[in-house]
Amino acid sequence: MTHPTAGSQRPDPLGVELREVAVQVATAAAELVARRRAEVLGSGTVRTKTSGTDPVTLADTESEQLIRSELGRLRPGDAVLGEEEGGDAAVDGLRWLIDPIDGTVNFLYGLPFYAVSVAVQRDGQSIAGAVVEVSSGRVFSAALGAGATLDGQPLRCNDVTDPALALVATGFGYQARRRVTQGAVVAELLPQVRDVRRVGSAALDLCAVAAGWLDAYYEHGLSPWDWGAGVLIAAEAGADVRPPPATAPGSHGELTFAAAPGVSAAVLSLVERAWSGPMP
Ligand code: IPD
Ligand code: CA
């Protein structure tokens, strides 16, 4: 798989430094999202984006604005790409990736699985990242070569070896056409694994693989801000990961994959047998 796993290299000094920045700005944004939820939902201003089921709230916009302004103060001059405001498409050098609320549908409904995700990449590879679950305040973070933690405690993915016993999560895009194919893929996988989960936040799914709460996660069509932090956290917890190219927007339908090493090859081959190539 394409990402070095935990322990395979020395801690990256810049990654170690920027992990602190990622944790700081993601924590501040998560506090803002938690504070603003009742007011924002009470105001009734929920727009939609790529489809009628893809929501954007004032909390998404305010969270991204806060992270951008903090990054501007702490890391002036670094490139930034965010879910709501877009930004720098080029992957050369350092680039921050912001998902101001990952799991916005859960945020709307009050299902507690939504998070702020902040990552920084160097030449398209994640070197530091933080995912802060808003409802609990739990902080997942990692730096390249320096391991992954949850609230400061080291994370390690599962040592499961039988794919038939693997708990596998996935997610679905917002376009109905893509969902037809994604539904067919998961239908093929379901009888061959322990069970399937659809949590509703790609960033938290990847952290759950790191924590051993899931054995594998895959999804076609994520954007870099969805996976930038979570893929590094999973890899640094010992998972095999296969992120899409950092240049690929979600519209390209590429696969994001992370799994405990004992089942990764088998689960990946189940997914690829069900569907290989880009999603419609
Ligand atoms: C979504 C969530 C969801 C995944 C979708 C993403 P958003 O992000 O991560 O779990 O299945 O593909 O778009 O819209 O809540 O930021
Ligand atoms: Ca997202």
Side-chain angles (χ1 to χ4, degrees):
M1 308 241 166
T2 55
H3 195 288
T5 51
S8 65
Q9 63 180 90
R10 288 160 189 267
D12 182 287
L14 184 59
V16 170
E17 181 189 330
L18 297 186
R19 177 192 203 160
E20 300 305 315
V21 176
V23 168
Q24 185 181 331
V25 300
T27 303
E31 284 165 7
L32 171 91
V33 172
R35 255 193 340 267
R36 291 283 283 138
R37 183 168 181 273
E39 211 177 337
V40 159
L41 296 187
S43 75
T45 47
V46 179
R47 290 183 294 117
T48 56
K49 244 179 349 189
T50 58
S51 83
T53 55
D54 180 5
V56 191
T57 70
L58 262 180
D60 295 78
T61 336
E62 290 177 11
S63 169
E64 182 159 330
Q65 280 164 0
L66 175 73
I67 295 167
R68 282 177 181 273
S69 104
E70 284 299 283
L71 287 178
R73 191 171 65 78
L74 298 165
R75 297 288 311 170
D78 286 356
V80 178
L81 177 69
E83 176 166 11
E84 308 309 340
E85 290 183 32
D88 296 289
V91 298
D92 303 342
L94 288 183
R95 181 177 67 158
W96 293 86
L97 300 169
I98 306 170
D99 196 332
I101 302 180
D102 186 54
T104 303
V105 173
N106 289 347
F107 169 81
L108 273 182
Y109 279 76
L111 195 62
F113 310 118
Y114 49 96
V116 175
S117 174
V118 176
V120 60
Q121 296 193 325
R122 183 174 54 218
D123 301 331
Q125 184 192 24
S126 297
I127 60 167
V131 174
V132 181
E133 189 179 60
V134 174
S135 56
S136 64
R138 290 196 284 217
V139 180
F140 300 85
S141 76
L144 184 63
T149 57
L150 164 54
D151 291 339
Q153 298 304 309
L155 290 173
R156 201 72 209 154
C157 62
N158 281 339
D159 55 8
V160 56
T161 53
D162 182 354
L165 296 181
L167 185 61
V168 181
T170 190
F172 310 115
Y174 290 106
Q175 306 298 328
R177 210 160 61 99
R178 176 167 291 175
R179 287 179 165 202
V180 171
T181 311
Q182 288 176 317
V185 173
V186 76
E188 204 164 314
L189 202 74
L190 181 56
Q192 307 192 66
V193 296
R194 181 192 290 274
D195 210 342
V196 167
R197 296 286 181 270
R198 196 293 191 244
V199 171
S201 160
L204 289 174
D205 284 315
L206 288 159
C207 292
V209 172
W213 303 338
L214 292 169
D215 297 310
Y217 163 73
Y218 76 93
E219 182 167 345
H220 293 87
L222 293 182
S223 293
W225 49 78
D226 298 308
W227 60 259
V231 154
L232 179 67
I233 291 165
E236 288 295 325
D240 285 340
V241 302
R242 209 177 84 162
T247 45
S251 55
H252 286 191
E254 303 230 22
L255 176 67
T256 301
F257 180 83
V263 293
S264 64
V267 175
L268 181 62
S269 110
L270 291 177
V271 172
E272 288 185 335
R273 249 183 280 146
W275 185 265
S276 57
M279 280 280 151

